[in-house]
Amino acid sequence: MTVPAGEPARTVRALPVVGGGLRSPDADFEAVTDAIAPIDPLRAARDTRRRLQVFGWSGSLGSTNPAGFRADSPFSQPENKALTGHLRFIPSLSRKADMQRLALLIVSFTTGSLACAEPPNVILVITDDQGYGDVSAHGNEMLETPHLDRLHGQSVRLTDFHVDPTCSPTRSALMTGRYSTRTGVWHTIMGRSLMNTDELTLAEVFAANGYETGMFGKWHLGDNFPLRPQDQGFAVSLHHGGGGVTQTPDWWGNDYFDDTYFDQTGAARPQSGYCTDVWFDAAMDFMARPRNEPFFCYLATNAPHGPFLVSEEDKQPYLDAGVAEPMASFYGMIANIDENMGRLSEFLDSKDLADNTILMFMTDNGTAAGVARGRNQSDGSTWRGFNAGMRGQKGSEYDGGHRVPCFIRWPAGGIDGGRDVAALAAHIDVLPTLVDLCGIDDPGGPPIDGMSLRSLLRAESDVAAPQRTLFVHSQRLEVPEKWRKSAVMTDRWRLVNGRELYDIEADPGQEQDVAAERPETVDHLRGEYDEWWDGLTEVFDDYVRIVLGAEGQAPAKLTCHDWHTENVPWNQNAVSRDPESNGAWAVDVAEAGRFAFTLRMRPAPVEYEIPPGTARVQIGDVDAEQPISPGMSAVRIEADVPAGPAMLQTWLESSEGPSRGAYFVEVERIE
């Protein structure tokens, strides 16, 4: 969803105060008109509400009754009643004069209080395939993560925090506050990792509220217009393609070191250094920019996702300690992440940003390689890994597949000190929580599924943990199947696959199925799931489509990663074997015209000969072909194409018999 960005913030000089309290309500407003007049009315309303919320406001601006400050709010104190008195006489915030008058009162508050009211910066760090047990503070005696441990000790920790069991679904839920399936995402490939553009993203919310937005690392929600991070609210971005470095949409030949990544213009930019170091460097460069506005930084590492490529320096300590591969490299990748978290902490301190920055750390699913998996683990090691006593790993419907770390620190907002919150929570809660903490406006969008955790994070004494039911599932199919790899969760219960029931309080390892002893609980949770499932089914037959012929990306660059078919060659190693597979892309032609389709077996600028034969393109009812001559690495086919949704498929048919789809296709409107 496209949301207009907020006006650049304007600095308004703080006015003199009397006795350290509020400026007298009888102040000469005419004398300061010039200082207040530049304030845009809508921005003034937004900023005013944000400042009031920081001070404990829970009422409605423009109400004839301004009561609504918490008892501990400075505005509830006798010496500051002047402001609340003034609020009674502002019947509407629709007039610019009202905005100016109220903004003046807020700006006139004490210098110290005003400083506290500045909107916080937000940094959201999410790592890839690092599980709950892959942090030493959680009890892992082999892995060393001193900087994450320090953040753990400074943060409020959500200890029963859940995500989807795999990458893209978690990221779509995180970005939207909605269950991933609603957004069109329930797989990591096959065109089912593309997020519906009708969704309102976290970046769009922040941008609409005047934040500068930046994204660094793994996106995995679409590589073409209008699905890329720069199309979904991020003004600045540097990211790899697809779901990981070395996957099919990524720059060909990337290997985690000195790679080439894509920026917000779509241009390929060569980098120096290890991938995780690059993401943190780029993020800190973004945060260090001179600005008047707050920033939202989404730092999403591809590590420790496989392939498990890391420096010898990072993995050798674990090999020396007797950890076998691939776990030793997996741990080395996490150690590098930890080192970068230390660098980030030092950076925030050096720039005086730490106090008023919300720093959130989480991961996207259960561990991928932090627990030995039989033949996938080299022989000779007695260390079998650590999963914090949970059953299941990445992709699993059991807690080990979707319960992950979540640390949140904001010293200026009272969120710090090292405290656990045991309430059931999930990725869908991140958007509403950040919106609430920052006191910003939600511009509107599809209904969200999550809830704000602000009261729990701030330990407000009169707020009890909510009783709720949450859902996760792992589909990885073209069309979801009911009950497939699913979990229905409450604070106490886990209903797995609609059949198995576990008392998670008494049996956190999910070893004792008590479904036979608690049939009424099974029936109740099945009913909750039925209602949830019925709300998802309307999207099952929809496609999230790649737009062709749009000005936002010319040409569109399609890869077999997004084919709607089985046996997708989703990584470069699979493509290098030239599989005889094929599939179709769901596309939407923005405007009728003549289009050029360039078919390849390797992406430009790689030269790789296509076997001689015939190349063919079919888009909707349009079918065209061209001969493939010896020595060709690309075949260009032109055709007149009508506007609208269609399925696009290609064929490279060898004269010797084998047929396959073009793994890479560039599409451009030429007339």
Side-chain angles (χ1 to χ4, degrees):
M1 175 177 288
T2 301
V3 178
E7 294 270 341
R10 298 180 173 91
T11 301
V12 179
R13 175 175 58 88
L15 300 174
V17 296
V18 179
L22 292 172
R23 183 183 176 91
S24 166
D26 297 324
D28 182 1
F29 290 101
E30 295 299 326
V32 294
T33 299
D34 290 341
I36 301 299
I39 298 177
D40 173 76
L42 292 178
R43 185 171 182 84
R46 184 168 60 236
D47 290 348
T48 296
R49 186 171 77 173
R50 181 165 55 208
R51 295 182 190 280
L52 288 172
Q53 286 174 334
V54 170
F55 290 125
W57 174 259
S58 60
S60 173
L61 291 180
S63 169
T64 56
N65 180 5
F69 288 107
R70 294 195 308 268
D72 60 352
S73 165
F75 286 119
S76 296
Q77 308 310 310
E79 65 271 22
N80 291 331
K81 290 297 185 181
L83 175 63
T84 55
H86 258 281
L87 290 175
R88 283 192 180 88
F89 300 103
I90 302 179
S92 169
L93 286 180
S94 62
R95 294 184 295 124
K96 186 169 183 177
D98 295 331
M99 307 292 184
Q100 294 167 349
R101 183 177 174 91
L102 188 52
L104 173 62
L105 289 166
I106 301 302
V107 170
S108 299
F109 193 61
T110 62
T111 302
S113 295
L114 182 60
C116 293
E118 288 303 308
N121 302 304
V122 179
I123 305 171
L124 174 53
V125 180
I126 179 171
T127 66
D128 195 358
D129 285 2
Q130 179 180 3
Y132 189 90
D134 298 325
V135 178
S136 55
H138 287 168
N140 191 317
E141 297 178 353
M142 179 64 72
L143 179 62
E144 296 183 2
T145 55
H147 300 293
L148 283 173
D149 295 351
R150 180 171 178 264
L151 179 62
H152 175 276
Q154 297 170 337
S155 301
V156 173
R157 289 94 56 154
L158 300 176
T159 60
D160 196 13
F161 182 79
H162 296 262
V163 294
D164 280 283
T166 56
C167 311
S168 295
T170 287
R171 292 160 204 277
S172 65
L174 187 65
M175 283 291 110
T176 64
R178 287 159 50 82
Y179 284 112
S180 53
T181 305
R182 296 196 205 281
T183 75
V185 177
W186 54 80
H187 202 341
T188 57
I189 54 174
M190 289 172 48
R192 296 305 189 182
S193 63
L194 311 183
M195 185 173 66
N196 195 313
T197 56
D198 289 338
E199 299 296 329
L200 179 69
T201 70
L202 193 54
E204 288 171 328
V205 172
F206 276 114
N209 282 275
Y211 276 67
E212 189 172 358
T213 55
M215 180 268 157
F216 308 94
K218 176 170 176 172
W219 177 240
H220 204 184
L221 296 172
D223 297 292
N224 283 277
F225 178 86
L227 307 167
R228 304 164 300 175
Q230 61 264 42
D231 308 318
Q232 294 298 315
F234 288 102
V236 178
S237 64
L238 184 70
H239 62 284
H240 61 73
V245 174
T246 76
Q247 292 194 10
T248 306
D250 195 32
W251 186 261
W252 190 265
N254 276 353
D255 63 1
Y256 287 50
F257 296 90
D258 302 327
D259 290 342
T260 296
Y261 302 129
F262 305 101
D263 70 8
Q264 66 273 7
T265 70
R269 304 292 185 189
Q271 306 294 317
S272 297
Y274 186 63
C275 54
T276 305
D277 301 336
V278 169
W279 308 135
F280 275 83
D281 285 344
M284 288 186 284
D285 286 346
F286 165 76
M287 290 183 270
R289 293 180 179 183
R291 57 167 61 84
N292 294 321
E293 305 85 4
F295 61 76
F296 167 55
C297 178
Y298 178 48
L299 207 173
T301 70
N302 58 292
H305 192 290
F308 303 114
L309 304 175
V310 69
S311 71
E312 293 293 327
E313 178 183 0
D314 284 323
K315 72 178 180 180
Q316 193 61 48
Y318 297 103
L319 291 171
D320 293 344
V323 179
E325 292 285 22
M327 194 186 300
S329 290
F330 181 75
Y331 278 1
M333 297 169 87
I334 295 173
N336 175 266
I337 291 170
D338 184 75
E339 179 182 343
N340 276 287
M341 289 298 294
R343 289 203 302 130
L344 175 61
S345 179
E346 291 177 1
F347 166 83
L348 294 175
D349 287 338
S350 70
K351 299 295 183 182
D352 294 325
L353 294 172
D355 194 54
N356 199 33
T357 294
I358 299 173
L359 175 58
M360 182 173 184
F361 173 85
M362 61 177 288
T363 72
D364 69 341
N365 46 245
T367 189
V371 178
R373 294 196 188 204
R375 58 187 175 86
N376 291 331
Q377 185 79 9
S378 300
D379 294 335
S381 172
T382 58
W383 175 256
R384 306 301 293 171
F386 179 75
N387 204 23
M390 294 184 295
R391 177 179 177 179
Q393 297 171 236
K394 175 183 178 178
S396 174
E397 58 270 47
Y398 299 97
D399 268 28
H402 47 82
R403 178 180 169 228
V404 300
C406 185
F407 311 153
I408 306 173
R409 186 190 75 186
W410 180 25
I415 301 175
D416 59 0
R419 179 172 56 85
D420 290 339
V421 172
L424 183 66
H427 48 10
I428 56 175
D429 300 326
V430 172
L431 185 150
T433 298
L434 291 177
V435 166
D436 198 6
L437 288 175
C438 296
I440 60 178
D441 290 332
D442 184 339
I448 64 172
D449 294 303
M451 60 172 285
S452 172
L453 306 175
R454 170 180 169 165
S455 298
L456 295 174
L457 295 174
R458 286 186 163 168
E460 295 176 1
S461 59
D462 58 342
V463 176
Q467 298 298 308
R468 58 196 306 214
T469 304
L470 298 178
F471 311 88
V472 296
H473 60 179
S474 180
Q475 291 293 336
R476 303 184 68 80
L477 300 167
E478 176 66 13
V479 178
E481 295 177 356
K482 192 172 184 180
W483 294 113
R484 185 181 191 275
K485 295 180 72 68
S486 63
V488 183
M489 302 180 291
T490 69
D491 284 334
R492 181 179 178 184
W493 300 107
R494 302 289 191 268
L495 178 67
V496 176
N497 298 329
R499 303 182 304 274
E500 304 167 25
L501 182 68
Y502 300 95
D503 183 340
I504 207 69
E505 294 178 351
D507 178 25
Q510 295 176 280
E511 297 177 338
Q512 301 296 322
D513 178 5
V514 296
E517 291 80 28
R518 299 296 297 256
E520 72 287 352
T521 301
V522 172
D523 289 345
H524 172 73
L525 295 178
R526 285 181 64 92
E528 296 255 46
Y529 177 93
D530 285 340
E531 183 177 351
W532 175 72
W533 179 264
D534 289 345
L536 304 179
T537 56
E538 62 184 21
V539 305
F540 291 172
D541 295 329
D542 294 343
Y543 291 107
V544 177
R545 297 180 180 274
I546 298 168
V547 175
L548 305 182
E551 294 182 3
Q553 185 186 36
K557 298 179 180 180
L558 313 183
T559 76
C560 54
H561 180 280
D562 297 326
W563 278 347
H564 287 270
T565 190
E566 297 180 359
N567 302 316
V568 169
W570 57 270
N571 62 63
Q572 295 176 15
N573 185 50
V575 171
S576 69
R577 294 192 290 268
D578 297 335
E580 295 175 15
S581 55
N582 206 335
W585 292 277
V587 300
D588 189 5
V589 180
E591 183 179 357
R594 190 160 186 81
F595 282 75
F597 302 83
T598 303
L599 282 56
R600 303 176 184 271
M601 292 180 66
R602 300 292 184 272
V606 179
E607 296 291 332
Y608 187 85
E609 185 174 348
I610 304 173
T614 302
R616 177 184 165 207
V617 169
Q618 184 178 59
I619 179 168
D621 295 330
V622 177
D623 204 321
E625 62 182 42
Q626 285 286 341
I628 307 170
S629 301
M632 296 180 70
S633 61
V635 183
R636 179 182 171 102
I637 300 176
E638 296 184 7
D640 294 321
V641 181
M647 299 303 290
L648 166 64
Q649 189 163 357
T650 66
W651 290 262
L652 298 174
E653 298 175 332
S654 169
S655 56
E656 297 182 357
S659 176
R660 56 180 61 85
Y663 310 132
F664 303 89
V665 177
E666 296 179 3
V667 185
E668 187 171 13
R669 186 175 183 274
I670 56 177
E671 294 179 12

